[in-house]
Amino acid sequence: MKKKCFRNLVTFVICFVLMLNVSGLSISAQTTPNIQLYSAKLVTTTVGQCGNQLDYYATGYINVKNLSADKNITVHYTYDGSNWLDQPASYLKTLEDGSEVWSFSTPHKIYAPQHHTYHNCRFALKYEVNGNTYWDNNNGDNYLLQETTMIYNAPCTLSKSAVMLNDFNYNYNFLSGSIYVKNLSYDKNVKVRYTLDNWQTYSEVDATYTRTYDNNTELWSFYIGGHDYQWNNNCHFAISYTVNGVTYCDNNFGSNYSLTK
């Protein structure tokens, strides 16, 4: 009787372990989303000739599993928290793993500058394919981009990406720019690798910390060149972000960034 009970107990334990393994495999298989935000940011521009009007909009990149050639990628967004609108995204390129990069920009929202500014964009991503609809809504919270002179500031959001180029500019022999990174640890290193001879040789410069935003992203800045620097050729560059022993890159989805002389 004792042996039979023992065999039953062993059988139960083995079945339980197998159930855990199967469940674990099932959960693991579901963790790869069909659509996921890479990164997004708010952009502000001047509309009026005298700066009497400004506008802002959201722009970003999306990673999509290529489940069919016939698909719709939509950004479901709101500027006021009440009225939700849809903006179609645009195909950008196919990556080596077969997934696709799509880009989006929401319509411009015009506003008059005031002493206190407050503008934001909430959004989620919708993927319609093969009769199914998939969402990336930031685990039910939706994504939020916000700039204000008073409270919570989050001009960018990083999801699948841990680092993204914000902007860059060339002026008086200087190439300068700014970078957004996820604040994954206090100790981190952000570099810009660049070449003036199409990667026959290259150099690196360290970016420097600028500030932390309320959604735990950071802004870093970089400068390349100088008054005596000779920009005789086109410049190509990419960004690396090393933290916790892992290096993340932003190389413009394999195309690198370029400055044409």
Side-chain angles (χ1 to χ4, degrees), residues 163-165 179 190-192 237-241 248-250 257:
V163 55
M164 71 173 273
L165 177 70
I179 303 163
V190 184
K191 291 181 177 291
V192 177
F237 66 95
I239 302 161
S240 68
Y241 167 38
Y248 305 91
C249 294
D250 178 5
Y257 295 98

Side-chain angles (χ1 to χ4, degrees), residues 162-163 181-184 188-190 240-243 246-248:
V163 55
V181 302
K182 281 183 182 179
N183 183 20
L184 301 177
K188 59 178 70 73
N189 189 278
V190 184
S240 68
Y241 167 38
T242 302
V243 61
V246 179
T247 298
Y248 305 91

Side-chain angles (χ1 to χ4, degrees), residues 13-257:
V13 171
I14 293 174
C15 291
F16 182 73
V17 171
L18 288 174
M19 288 175 63
L20 285 179
N21 288 339
V22 171
S23 176
L25 288 173
S26 175
I27 292 173
S28 176
Q30 294 175 0
T31 56
T32 303
N34 291 319
I35 181 170
Q36 185 179 6
L37 178 73
Y38 275 113
S39 59
K41 64 179 181 179
L42 276 179
V43 179
T44 302
T45 60
T46 301
V47 180
Q49 293 183 351
C50 298
N52 58 337
Q53 280 189 318
L54 299 175
D55 71 14
Y56 66 93
Y57 61 94
T59 182
Y61 298 98
I62 307 167
N63 180 260
V64 176
K65 274 189 178 180
N66 185 18
L67 302 180
S68 173
D70 185 14
K71 62 175 74 74
N72 291 312
I73 312 298
T74 306
V75 180
H76 190 57
Y77 74 97
T78 179
Y79 285 135
D80 58 15
S82 300
N83 299 303
W84 287 84
L85 303 169
D86 287 335
Q87 178 69 19
S90 301
Y91 169 82
L92 187 62
K93 69 181 301 183
T94 300
L95 302 178
E96 291 183 355
D97 63 1
S99 66
E100 297 176 347
V101 181
W102 288 59
S103 63
F104 72 90
S105 291
T106 58
H108 292 219
K109 177 73 171 179
I110 298 177
Y111 70 99
Q114 299 177 0
H115 179 64
H116 293 298
T117 61
Y118 181 90
H119 45 266
N120 63 51
C121 180
R122 293 185 182 272
F123 67 93
L125 307 176
K126 182 170 64 173
Y127 178 19
E128 298 170 293
V129 62
N130 297 330
N132 297 312
T133 300
Y134 304 98
W135 287 88
D136 177 9
N137 61 3
N138 193 26
N139 296 318
D141 292 332
N142 295 318
Y143 291 101
L144 172 63
L145 298 170
Q146 180 167 287
E147 283 190 304
T148 171
T149 56
M150 297 170 285
I151 52 173
Y152 184 90
N153 277 279
C156 89
T157 183
L158 298 170
S159 182
K160 185 177 178 64
S161 296
V163 55
M164 71 173 273
L165 177 70
N166 178 35
D167 58 18
F168 67 95
N169 180 56
Y170 173 76
N171 196 17
Y172 297 109
N173 287 343
F174 278 96
L175 173 63
S176 61
S178 59
I179 303 163
Y180 290 123
V181 302
K182 281 183 182 179
N183 183 20
L184 301 177
S185 175
Y186 178 80
D187 292 321
K188 59 178 70 73
N189 189 278
V190 184
K191 291 181 177 291
V192 177
R193 176 175 291 188
Y194 68 97
T195 179
L196 300 177
D197 54 16
N198 200 28
W199 300 109
Q200 295 182 43
T201 61
Y202 66 85
S203 301
E204 288 185 335
V205 295
D206 291 316
T208 57
Y209 168 83
T210 302
R211 63 164 296 176
T212 300
Y213 293 104
D214 296 318
N215 62 347
N216 207 34
T217 58
E218 295 179 351
L219 182 70
W220 288 60
S221 302
F222 66 90
Y223 300 90
I224 300 172
H227 295 295
D228 298 326
Y229 205 88
Q230 298 298 317
W231 293 89
N232 296 320
N233 300 309
N234 298 334
C235 178
H236 303 274
F237 66 95
I239 302 161
S240 68
Y241 167 38
T242 302
V243 61
N244 297 326
V246 179
T247 298
Y248 305 91
C249 294
D250 178 5
N251 61 2
N252 195 22
F253 304 110
S255 299
N256 294 316
Y257 295 98

Side-chain angles (χ1 to χ4, degrees), residues 2-20:
K2 291 183 178 179
K3 290 183 178 179
K4 183 177 181 180
C5 292
F6 179 76
R7 285 198 302 268
N8 290 340
L9 178 60
V10 171
T11 301
F12 173 79
V13 171
I14 293 174
C15 291
F16 182 73
V17 171
L18 288 174
M19 288 175 63
L20 285 179

